[in-house]
Amino acid sequence: MNILKSEEDVYGRYLREELHKATKDFFIVSRSIKNKLGDKSYKLDQYLSAVLKIANCKLNTDAAEDGRKFFSELRRLCVGILNYDSSVTSHEFYQTTKEYISEHRLLYKEHHTLLNIYCALLTPKFTDYAVNKFAEEVQNRANIEIDTVLMSENYEFIAGIVDEEDMNALNMAIKGRFIISSIMHSFLQSITNEYLYCLLHRDPETSKQVYQLILEEKL
């Protein structure tokens, strides 16, 4: 079955009814919990403030730019190793990159073809490295800007007074309305776009694209 029947299957869909429902649910459930808490309703205010700040602590556009910056590091590493440039040896991913290139010698004459092939082949491992670094940076930023311990304590306090199902419904509404596309997805998609540029690079000598050359290699 072809799962990519239309452009929407690639670019995504605007789920209008689901988004509007999540917006409505957020306010309905929040209001209900606030009423149940009575004079302790400030606990909900603290919880919502923290959760919404976390959802907005890093913009998706910034995450996408971070993805491009990380991939440019992989390009610099591959260029440096192919050119015997010692200035890249201090990078944490240097050894992995150097060992891979040393163990997979390719005979293409065109420098940019070699560069894009190696970048493409190293993308899976480099993505693991980049994701760990990105997640660490986002976590550190969240911990500085938001009291995550207090947020968790407020959740437990509220859940102990109202029905836990109410808090689950609230969190689902928050996720459905305010976390439509996670920053991690934006980060990964940006790296994937760079990966696609590599795969689509056309070798002038063979007139084949990099993905075709990789398919022909026994790697």
Side-chain angles (χ1 to χ4, degrees), residues 16-34:
R16 178 178 176 276
E17 291 183 6
E18 290 183 17
L19 193 64
H20 288 320
K21 182 180 184 303
T23 305
K24 188 176 180 181
D25 288 349
F26 169 72
F27 287 104
I28 290 174
V29 177
S30 295
R31 192 174 293 113
S32 173
I33 292 173
K34 196 174 185 70

Side-chain angles (χ1 to χ4, degrees), residues 34 37 40-50 158:
K34 196 174 185 70
L37 289 173
K40 301 295 184 183
S41 63
Y42 69 91
K43 294 284 189 179
L44 177 65
D45 294 334
Q46 290 177 341
Y47 177 74
L48 289 177
S49 242
I158 297 167

Side-chain angles (χ1 to χ4, degrees), residues 81 93-104 122:
I81 291 167
F93 201 71
Y94 168 77
Q95 199 59 39
T96 301
T97 307
K98 186 176 186 303
E99 287 176 4
Y100 189 90
I101 292 176
S102 297
E103 293 169 5
H104 301 84
L122 281 159

Side-chain angles (χ1 to χ4, degrees), residues 40-77:
K40 301 295 184 183
S41 63
Y42 69 91
K43 294 284 189 179
L44 177 65
D45 294 334
Q46 290 177 341
Y47 177 74
L48 289 177
S49 242
V51 172
L52 296 180
K53 282 180 181 177
I54 284 179
N56 207 38
C57 76
K58 192 173 187 70
L59 300 180
N60 286 62
T61 50
D62 293 336
E65 182 60 28
D66 285 346
R68 284 190 287 272
K69 287 178 180 177
F70 265 96
F71 200 89
S72 70
E73 292 180 18
L74 177 59
R75 283 192 177 277
R76 282 196 297 271
L77 276 170

Side-chain angles (χ1 to χ4, degrees), residues 9 21 37 55 61 70 99 134 136 161 170-171 188:
D9 293 321
K21 182 180 184 303
L37 289 173
T61 50
F70 265 96
E99 287 176 4
F134 178 72
E136 183 181 342
I161 295 177
L170 175 60
N171 284 346
L188 287 171

Side-chain angles (χ1 to χ4, degrees), residues 133-151:
K133 287 291 184 182
F134 178 72
E136 183 181 342
E137 184 269 326
V138 171
Q139 184 66 52
N140 289 339
R141 180 170 176 176
N143 288 335
I144 291 170
E145 296 184 10
I146 297 108
D147 189 339
T148 53
V149 174
L150 178 62
M151 183 184 73

